[in-house]
Amino acid sequence: MKKFCIILMFAMPIMLHAADNDTLVINKPKSVTIIKGDLVQEIVVKGREGDENYLFRDKIKLNDTNYTRETTSYRDKHKVSLGNKKNSRADVTGHFAFGMVFPTKVSSGMDFPGGKSWEIYFSPLDFEFYLNKSKHDYISFGIGFDWRNYRMTDKTRFVKTGENQVGLGTYPEGADPKFSRVKVFSLSFPLLYQHEFHKDWGIGLGPVLNWNTYGSLKTKYKMDGGEHKFVEKHIGQRKITIDFMALLKNPIFDIYLKYCPADVLKDSDLKFRSLSFGFYL
């Protein structure tokens, strides 16, 4: 009798859907899981034709005299569809990136050791516009915030030599240098073409427009038993730059690579460019 009631409870919504001409059909699911217990009955469908991230869950909890039912259906918990969910041509996502910066085309006198310079990128809004029904090809446009620093740890430090001018200097005699760095904050606008292969693999390519709104110098060293810190602003960073960005999507962690062919500082004898590499989530 109990098994009959369970079958009936699963059948009732199907009959009601059929009566309302709203039958759910999932073509080519990636996997179908049926979970059966004394008090819980659940069906989970993952993936469907043209949408590997689709998920449908139907769960029934049995009580002594009645039951409760939970039904959910969505594509990806990180994406919000725009328009009709079934035929949506756009999604909104968010991304976070963290990587190392490797300055290139560096002027003589500067030394940037590997693993000491970092980039943090955060994009709370990233709009994805699909180019086909399979959703494997799309154009993404984002709005983000980017922090990059370029750090030296030897006996040479950055100094401000004039209005919006940066040069090189030395530490006081007897000082124990910690670091001297240039930091640039940017509002970033990536525009990427992306293609997704099967099984969570994909690529992305395109430019990133950076509006570099803030730049500063910071130097720290120890001397005479204390720690000394100096900060300078208005360093003459280049206001507008364009990065060329590549993404490699994979089942573990997506990887990004960005390169800017323009010098970080605009009107300075110190020349160096930005190459960054890291994780993209």
Side-chain angles (χ1 to χ4, degrees):
M1 183 64 181
K2 185 175 183 179
K3 291 184 179 179
F4 174 77
C5 292
I6 294 173
I7 295 172
L8 181 62
M9 284 184 286
F10 273 109
M12 285 178 61
I14 298 175
M15 292 187 290
L16 292 175
H17 281 304
D20 294 334
N21 297 318
D22 189 19
T23 302
L24 176 64
V25 178
I26 303 175
N27 294 320
K28 298 181 179 180
K30 188 175 181 180
S31 67
V32 178
T33 304
I34 300 176
I35 303 171
K36 298 176 66 177
D38 293 336
L39 300 177
V40 176
Q41 303 288 320
E42 184 175 5
I43 296 178
V44 180
V45 180
K46 294 183 178 180
R48 64 182 177 184
E49 186 175 14
D51 191 351
E52 295 182 356
N53 295 316
Y54 177 79
L55 176 66
F56 173 82
R57 177 180 283 110
D58 192 12
K59 185 175 183 180
I60 291 179
K61 295 181 180 179
L62 303 177
N63 299 317
D64 293 337
T65 57
N66 59 5
Y67 71 95
T68 59
R69 188 186 192 100
E70 300 175 3
T71 301
T72 57
S73 174
Y74 56 88
R75 181 178 184 269
D76 190 325
K77 65 181 181 180
H78 299 295
K79 298 187 178 182
V80 179
S81 297
L82 301 178
N84 184 279
K85 291 184 179 180
K86 184 177 180 180
N87 300 309
S88 174
R89 299 304 300 271
D91 283 326
V92 180
T93 67
H95 296 284
F96 174 81
F98 179 76
M100 291 185 292
V101 178
F102 301 91
T104 65
K105 305 289 184 178
V106 179
S107 299
S108 61
M110 290 186 293
D111 181 25
F112 297 100
K116 297 296 183 179
S117 303
W118 301 93
E119 176 180 36
I120 298 175
Y121 173 78
F122 172 60
S123 175
L125 290 175
D126 199 70
F127 302 92
E128 299 177 350
F129 302 94
Y130 298 105
L131 304 179
N132 47 45
K133 292 184 179 180
S134 68
K135 298 186 177 182
H136 285 181
D137 296 275
Y138 56 94
I139 300 294
S140 65
F141 172 75
I143 302 173
F145 309 95
D146 188 275
W147 293 263
R148 274 180 270 201
N149 68 59
Y150 310 87
R151 180 179 294 211
M152 298 190 300
T153 57
D154 60 3
K155 298 295 184 179
T156 304
R157 65 172 178 169
F158 293 109
V159 295
K160 192 171 180 181
T161 58
E163 186 64 25
N164 297 328
Q165 291 288 326
V166 176
L168 297 178
T170 58
Y171 288 88
E173 187 175 352
D176 178 17
K178 293 303 177 184
F179 67 84
S180 184
R181 62 101 176 112
V182 169
K183 181 175 72 175
V184 176
F185 169 77
S186 311
L187 295 177
S188 297
F189 306 91
L191 179 63
L192 306 177
Y193 161 75
Q194 301 191 52
H195 176 77
E196 291 187 357
F197 302 101
H198 296 291
K199 298 182 180 179
D200 299 322
W201 288 91
I203 58 172
L205 295 169
V208 181
L209 176 66
N210 298 303
W211 178 21
N212 306 311
T213 61
Y214 175 83
S216 69
L217 306 179
K218 185 177 183 180
T219 299
K220 291 181 74 172
Y221 61 88
K222 289 185 176 181
M223 191 173 68
D224 299 331
E227 185 173 86
H228 301 264
K229 178 177 69 174
F230 295 91
V231 177
E232 295 278 5
K233 302 178 182 178
H234 308 293
I235 62 173
Q237 76 277 4
R238 196 175 294 273
K239 294 297 184 181
I240 300 294
T241 57
I242 296 177
D243 299 330
F244 295 97
M245 184 173 184
L247 293 176
L248 175 61
K249 299 183 177 183
N250 60 83
I252 304 174
F253 291 109
D254 296 345
I255 298 172
Y256 81 93
L257 176 70
K258 287 199 298 184
Y259 175 69
C260 180
D263 292 314
V264 174
L265 302 176
K266 184 178 180 182
D267 299 318
S268 175
D269 293 333
L270 300 183
K271 306 296 183 182
F272 58 95
R273 301 176 183 179
S274 178
L275 172 68
S276 56
F277 171 85
F279 299 110
Y280 186 84
L281 307 176

